[in-house]
Amino acid sequence: MKSIGNILLLLIMVACTALSFFLLLTSNVSLKINDTQAMGKEVINRVVQESDNSNLKIGVKLLEDTGLEQLPKKYKIEMSYADLYRLCEKYNEKGELSTKDLGLTSKTKLEEIINDYLIKQINNKLDEKSEEISHVITIYEYSIFGVGLLFLLAAILIILGRALASIPLAIAALGSFAALWIFSNEAMTSLQSRVYSGILVTLSSNIWLGLIIGLGTAIVWPFLIKIMKRIK
């Protein structure tokens, strides 16, 4: 009975490790805009200021006068750690991102203008720091495999009953969370300055939950080993 209890504890710890990995890999970073009409006005003003085409200015102004109420009240894009990896691959392949890559859809001409402007600013930012971005993307692409291997190593060490499992588990949980945290803050700062000050980029509650489960398991595991040895 004691050995069965220990096996169950091991399985629970492995399950917690797997759950932490799943939540951190698949949970979303959300880009939210709570007042799309205010954003629409700001984007239109920027398009007008930055364009030398008088016909475009007239057309955009006409859209502002007739189409702002057609925008959805709120705007939201969601992206996970895995989605970011796919975006890195797209950028490496084409040297830029498209509205389709980000899942941006438009039902009206005004939405199309806003989406095009948003992707233009993102690509401009990527072009400005192309060398730095290239290094970051390379690191990011390898990191997703590194994180996966660390979680796998932690699970194997837990099955073997090694206290050292806490080290790769804590590193993997903190590392993947930190990558998402840095991305969300960088994206929000850049988009607020270039597109609209009301853009918010936030981590979902499941990402925080994945971090808590991962770190909690890493902290509890060494103490649990001592208890299991006493039970034996």
Side-chain angles (χ1 to χ4, degrees):
M1 291 295 293
K2 290 181 179 179
S3 61
I4 292 175
N6 286 347
I7 291 171
L8 286 174
L9 287 174
L10 286 174
L11 291 176
I12 290 170
M13 291 295 99
V14 170
C16 286
T17 300
L19 181 59
S20 175
F21 175 61
F22 176 78
L23 290 173
L24 288 166
L25 186 72
T26 62
S27 299
N28 292 322
V29 175
S30 299
L31 185 154
K32 299 177 183 177
I33 301 162
N34 293 322
D35 189 347
T36 54
Q37 291 195 9
M39 182 195 71
K41 289 179 181 178
E42 193 164 323
V43 169
I44 285 169
N45 288 334
R46 292 191 184 210
V47 170
V48 169
Q49 289 170 6
E50 293 175 11
S51 176
D52 295 326
N53 188 325
S54 59
N55 290 329
L56 176 62
K57 291 182 179 182
I58 293 170
V60 168
K61 275 297 182 183
L62 181 62
L63 282 170
E64 179 184 14
D65 296 334
T66 61
L68 283 175
E69 71 280 357
Q70 297 175 20
L71 290 172
K73 290 184 178 180
K74 295 185 178 182
Y75 198 82
K76 187 175 182 180
I77 302 171
E78 293 185 329
M79 202 167 295
S80 69
Y81 198 100
D83 292 329
L84 289 175
Y85 177 80
R86 285 191 288 271
L87 276 183
C88 289
E89 288 189 319
K90 289 286 186 182
Y91 181 76
N92 279 336
E93 181 184 329
K94 300 184 296 184
E96 63 179 10
L97 297 176
S98 66
T99 52
K100 184 180 179 181
D101 294 333
L102 288 177
L104 299 175
T105 58
S106 53
K107 296 180 180 178
T108 66
K109 187 64 177 178
L110 184 56
E111 285 184 85
E112 184 181 335
I113 289 173
I114 290 172
N115 287 341
D116 287 344
Y117 185 81
L118 178 62
I119 201 69
K120 175 187 173 184
Q121 296 307 314
I122 290 172
N123 282 322
N124 284 346
K125 182 68 174 178
L126 292 172
D127 288 339
E128 279 179 16
K129 299 185 175 181
S130 58
E131 288 188 18
E132 181 182 333
I133 292 294
S134 179
H135 291 307
V136 170
I137 287 175
T138 301
I139 292 170
Y140 191 86
E141 288 181 328
Y142 282 111
S143 74
I144 196 168
F145 293 107
V147 165
L149 287 173
L150 284 171
F151 273 109
L152 179 61
L153 176 61
I156 292 171
L157 289 174
I158 287 173
I159 292 171
L160 295 175
R162 304 291 176 83
L164 285 174
S166 294
I167 297 174
L169 180 54
I171 292 172
L174 282 170
S176 51
F177 176 84
L180 292 169
W181 177 267
I182 291 169
F183 166 79
S184 64
N185 280 278
E186 286 287 329
M188 184 166 66
T189 300
S190 179
L191 291 172
Q192 283 181 347
S193 65
R194 289 171 172 268
V195 181
Y196 172 56
S197 57
I199 291 177
L200 298 175
V201 182
T202 57
L203 302 180
S204 71
S205 58
N206 280 344
I207 291 176
W208 288 95
L209 181 60
L211 174 67
I212 291 168
I213 291 174
L215 289 181
T217 304
I219 292 169
V220 168
W221 174 240
F223 297 101
L224 198 58
I225 286 180
K226 292 180 180 179
I227 294 172
M228 290 167 66
K229 286 180 177 178
R230 289 175 187 171
I231 292 175
K232 287 181 179 180

